[in-house]
Amino acid sequence: MKKKALIVSLKGTKLSKMEKILLSKEKPWGVILFKRNLKSRKQIKNLTMSIRNLTNDTKFPIIIDEEGEKVSRLRNIIKHDISASFFGNLFKKNKDFCSKTYQEYIFSLSKILNELGININTIPVLDVIRKNTNKIIGNRSFSNDKKTVQQLGKLTLKYLHIKKIAGVIKHIPGHGAAKVDSHKKLPKVHLNLKQLNKIDFYPFKLSNAKFAMTAHILYTKIDTSNPATQSKKIIKKIIRKKLGFKGILISDDISMKALKYDLITNAIKSLEAGCNLVLYCAGKANDNFKLIKSIPYIDKFTSKKTSEFYKFLR
């Protein structure tokens, strides 16, 4: 499968001339949509249909970050002001009732995504809340209990997969110990491997997720100079070996301030470290083009996993 190792983003609710060229002539792996791209059901359906027509690919990956409450790109279209922590609290009180309620919730959300032409949702958040966790995570996390996070994470993937929506576990290998927002600066976590393994890494272990998204975090006791997204040591020894993640690894947004280089360097460093795809979220056409010209085609592993994802969508 010949695709560039890049997920692009768009500026508005309609495709610009440059974006049409990008999708028809270049080979991005996928597209991620944001609130700025989403106005009404009809408009979204037209947009996703246009993307697939231009790429000549009926299963072209179209991604959304639709967690509910704090992170809802479909706020203009659906109201689901409900957080992951709501289900985490419910799960502690009554696991069976929570599981059934959560199933209905994920099924109804997935039905809407299917209708809109979206086939990947970047949930579940598997970060475990700690005392000093930055509010950027907050109630996006299921719980401060690692087992609750893991169990609800597994249910999320199970329910999404039944409805042919792929989930993305994030932010691997764990954002809960970060005290600052990685959108604004690089968080530094000074816990040792044993401490991280006991709590933060736990929910990510042996997940059957097709995709995972990295954390832009410097784990100083594991790699003193590279955040997880750009750390060979963390990706190979922790994410792949210790956590046993076997799917496609996507960088978090390479335009976030936690990464210190220019976009192209951020992208190349992430891929060289072991990310399979890089994510660009700012939606600037010039940057999309600069990146796609600079980024290599996906490797054999990613090509194989992408084919498996396409088969899953049948």
Side-chain angles (χ1 to χ4, degrees), residues 83-99:
S83 64
S85 68
F86 169 83
F87 290 107
N89 292 329
L90 191 59
F91 191 75
K92 282 182 185 175
K93 290 173 187 171
N94 189 325
K95 288 183 183 181
D96 191 49
F97 178 70
C98 175
S99 299

Side-chain angles (χ1 to χ4, degrees), residues 7 17 70 181 245:
I7 297 165
K17 280 183 182 177
K70 266 201 212 176
D181 179 359
F245 178 65

Side-chain angles (χ1 to χ4, degrees), residues 107-148:
F107 278 9
S108 60
L109 176 59
S110 299
K111 187 183 177 188
I112 293 164
L113 297 181
N114 280 321
E115 285 171 6
L116 297 175
I118 294 161
N119 52 21
I120 301 173
N121 189 6
T122 66
I123 60 171
V125 172
L126 296 185
D127 304 318
V128 182
I129 283 289
R130 286 173 168 268
K131 279 182 184 174
N132 298 319
T133 301
N134 186 271
K135 62 183 180 182
I136 193 67
I137 300 297
N139 63 7
R140 295 166 65 196
S141 165
F142 289 114
S143 178
N144 60 0
D145 177 67
K146 64 181 182 180
K147 289 184 179 176
T148 299

Side-chain angles (χ1 to χ4, degrees), residues 3-10 22-23 27-34 60-64 120 122 168 211-213 248-254 267 271 276-283 287-288 291-292 295 298 302:
K3 283 172 170 267
K4 289 291 186 88
L6 175 68
I7 297 165
V8 296
S9 49
L10 310 171
L22 177 76
L23 293 166
K27 295 281 184 184
W29 185 90
V31 167
I32 187 165
L33 300 177
F34 289 91
F60 186 78
I62 299 179
I63 306 161
I64 196 166
I120 301 173
T122 66
V168 182
F211 305 99
M213 186 179 290
I248 291 175
L249 187 64
I250 306 170
S251 77
D252 203 346
D253 178 18
I254 54 166
L271 292 169
N276 305 118
L277 302 171
V278 290
L279 177 68
Y280 170 63
C281 297
D287 287 336
N288 275 322
L291 283 163
I292 209 150
I295 283 175
I298 58 174
T302 314

Side-chain angles (χ1 to χ4, degrees), residues 6-50:
L6 175 68
I7 297 165
V8 296
S9 49
L10 310 171
K11 190 177 181 182
T13 54
K14 286 183 180 178
L15 294 170
S16 67
K17 280 183 182 177
M18 279 185 81
E19 287 167 347
K20 285 177 181 176
I21 294 165
L22 177 76
L23 293 166
S24 59
K25 305 291 184 198
E26 305 296 334
K27 295 281 184 184
W29 185 90
V31 167
I32 187 165
L33 300 177
F34 289 91
K35 195 164 177 273
R36 64 179 182 264
N37 310 124
L38 311 166
K39 192 168 69 174
S40 69
R41 288 188 186 227
K42 189 180 177 183
Q43 172 266 324
I44 298 166
K45 284 181 188 178
N46 287 337
L47 180 62
T48 57
M49 203 182 297
S50 298

Side-chain angles (χ1 to χ4, degrees), residues 141-159:
S141 165
F142 289 114
S143 178
N144 60 0
D145 177 67
K146 64 181 182 180
K147 289 184 179 176
T148 299
V149 175
Q150 187 190 57
Q151 287 170 301
L152 279 169
K154 284 181 176 177
L155 285 180
T156 307
L157 294 168
K158 180 184 174 183
Y159 300 151

Side-chain angles (χ1 to χ4, degrees), residues 99-111:
S99 299
K100 286 171 183 171
T101 308
Y102 192 49
Q103 182 184 54
E104 289 301 315
Y105 168 71
I106 294 292
F107 278 9
S108 60
L109 176 59
S110 299
K111 187 183 177 188

